[in-house]
């Protein structure tokens, strides 16, 4: 059981759920119809977990050299079973989206394609962060897809939110590129470029969120409050990223990535509050941090 929890990286799935909360509430201003919301929550979770399993499958040879304790190289889970589980989760995720509606099924299918393309093709290249950002943006649009025609999911403000959150995650992905490598206190040129580029990506994503708060006057919440909380998140995130650049080590970079992912959930809560001015919905979104943090004590998030 522990091997499966490790290969699924279960704590991180709650960050994907935050996308569905944000996207669904941006387009519906509530969690109604709740059956569609729950179907999309399950769809997103399955697709995200599929990506985690397939990530380990395609990285199995590298992990055998660098992280032999991982479930596949250690022999606790066979590569073939992991591959089957990954594609089963992709099918399950797309199927749950189909039950939510045809538009949701289309978005889930596109998202599944980019999940596989990241794990199998682009992860080790400079396209990898862009690919991962697309996955996150599409995941938020999956939440916005319920009951809408395909073209309607690209309306404002959910399109701007998807762009902002996707840019943020592209920055996190670039920043985390070499999180398991390196000598403490020393940076290669490529690693330094990745860390600085990742920091700029995170800052750009938060900047796009602030731009969304300013450019959509029909939102129920106060944009000043949303700006203030987003700037606090940005200050904390950039400060930690600068520390990682000044005193780099795998442990420091990994802890910073963990903070960035938890901050992502808070950003989703800010989006929800700005959209609805409903504290219960925003607190419910941020509450996804509780299981993520508790499980994160036992299982690596990244």
């Amino acid at each position: 059981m522990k091997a499966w929890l490790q290969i699924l990286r279960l704590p991180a799935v709650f960050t994907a759920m935050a996308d569905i909360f944000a996207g669904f509430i941006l387009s519906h201003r509530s969690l109604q119809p709740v059956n569609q919301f729950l179907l999309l929550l399950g769809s997103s979770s399955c697709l995200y977990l599929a990506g985690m399993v397939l990530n380990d499958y395609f990285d199995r040879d590298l992990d055998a050299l660098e992280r032999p304790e991982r479930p596949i190289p250690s022999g606790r889970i066979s590569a073939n079973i992991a591959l089957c589980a990954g594609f089963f989760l992709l099918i399950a995720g797309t199927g749950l989206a189909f039950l939510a509606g045809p538009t949701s099924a289309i978005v889930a299918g596109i998202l599944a394609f980019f999940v596989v393309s990241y794990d199998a093709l682009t992860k080790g290249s400079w396209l990898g962060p862009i690919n991962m950002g697309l996955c996150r943006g599409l995941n938020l649009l999956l939440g916005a897809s319920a009951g809408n025609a395909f073209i309607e999911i690209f309306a404002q403000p959910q399109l701007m939110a998807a762009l902002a959150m996707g840019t943020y995650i592209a920055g996190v992905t670039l920043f985390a590129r070499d999180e398991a490598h390196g000598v403490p206190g020393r940076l290669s040129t490529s690693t330094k470029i990745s860390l600085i580029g990742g920091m700029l990506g995170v800052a750009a994503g938060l900047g796009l969120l602030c731009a969304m708060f300013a450019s959509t006057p029909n939102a129920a919440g106060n944009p000043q409050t949303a700006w203030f909380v987003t700037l606090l998140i940005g200050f904390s995130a950039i400060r930690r990223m600068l520390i990682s650049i000044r005193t780099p080590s795998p442990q420091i970079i990994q802890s910073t990535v963990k903070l960035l992912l938890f901050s992502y959930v808070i950003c989703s809560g800010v989006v929800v509050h700005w959209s609805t001015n409903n504290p219960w919905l925003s607190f419910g979104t941020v509450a996804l941090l509780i299981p993520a943090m508790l499980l994160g004590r036992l299982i690596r998030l990244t």
Side-chain angles (χ1 to χ4, degrees):
M1 177 61 73
K2 186 176 180 180
W4 280 104
L5 293 176
Q6 289 174 334
I7 199 172
L8 290 168
R9 291 181 176 85
L10 196 59
V13 74
F14 297 98
T15 68
M17 291 182 183
D19 289 327
I20 301 302
F21 273 78
F24 196 94
I25 290 170
L26 280 172
S27 61
H28 293 74
R29 300 297 175 93
S30 72
L31 295 181
Q32 299 295 331
V34 69
N35 62 318
Q36 289 184 322
F37 169 73
L38 292 175
L39 284 168
L40 293 178
L41 203 63
S43 172
S44 172
S45 299
C46 287
L47 293 173
Y48 189 89
L49 294 173
M52 294 296 100
V53 175
L54 293 174
N55 176 75
D56 270 36
Y57 173 80
F58 288 109
D59 278 359
R60 64 192 185 280
D61 293 334
L62 181 62
D63 284 344
L65 297 173
E66 297 183 349
R67 295 189 291 177
E69 75 281 0
R70 292 294 299 165
I72 293 177
S74 67
R76 289 176 293 156
I77 296 176
S78 78
N80 287 337
I81 290 177
L83 181 63
C84 291
F87 278 98
F88 172 80
L89 286 166
L90 286 176
I91 294 169
T94 307
L96 288 171
F98 178 79
L99 294 175
T103 299
S104 298
I106 293 170
V107 177
I110 297 171
L111 176 54
F113 169 81
F114 281 107
V115 166
V116 176
S117 71
Y118 175 79
D119 288 332
L121 299 174
T122 67
K123 181 182 178 183
S125 72
W126 287 97
L127 287 175
I130 297 172
N131 194 155
M132 181 57 75
L134 280 170
C135 288
R136 282 299 189 147
L138 285 166
N139 197 40
L140 190 144
L141 292 177
L142 177 63
S145 66
N148 291 321
F150 185 74
I151 192 65
E152 291 173 347
I153 67 172
F154 299 103
Q156 296 292 7
Q158 56 263 27
L159 180 61
M160 187 70 168
L163 178 61
M165 301 301 264
T167 301
Y168 180 102
I169 287 296
V172 174
T173 305
L174 182 57
F175 189 86
R177 178 185 293 275
D178 297 312
E179 64 174 346
H181 308 91
V183 178
R186 295 172 58 187
L187 279 178
S188 68
T189 300
S190 62
T191 300
K192 190 170 185 178
I193 291 173
S194 295
L195 293 176
I196 294 173
M199 182 175 66
L200 294 175
V202 167
L206 295 174
L208 287 170
L209 272 186
C210 289
M212 181 185 75
F213 300 148
S215 63
T216 310
N218 62 338
N222 187 336
Q224 284 77 22
T225 302
W227 287 334
F228 178 72
V229 178
T230 304
L231 289 173
L232 282 180
I233 294 169
F235 175 79
S236 175
I238 299 302
R239 175 179 170 274
R240 285 289 296 272
M241 295 172 92
L242 286 171
I243 291 172
S244 298
I245 294 171
R246 286 199 304 266
T247 57
S249 72
Q251 293 74 24
I252 292 176
I253 294 173
Q254 287 165 9
S255 68
T256 301
V257 171
K258 188 174 181 179
L259 170 72
L260 293 172
L261 291 175
F262 287 158
S263 297
Y264 182 87
V265 177
I266 300 174
C267 286
S268 298
V270 173
V271 169
V272 168
H273 186 71
W274 166 79
S275 176
T276 64
N277 203 28
N278 185 326
W280 295 109
L281 290 177
S282 54
F283 288 154
T285 305
V286 175
L288 292 168
L289 282 174
I290 297 173
M293 293 175 73
L294 290 175
L295 286 170
R297 295 175 177 272
L298 305 173
I299 305 162
R300 278 189 56 180
L301 191 71
T302 62

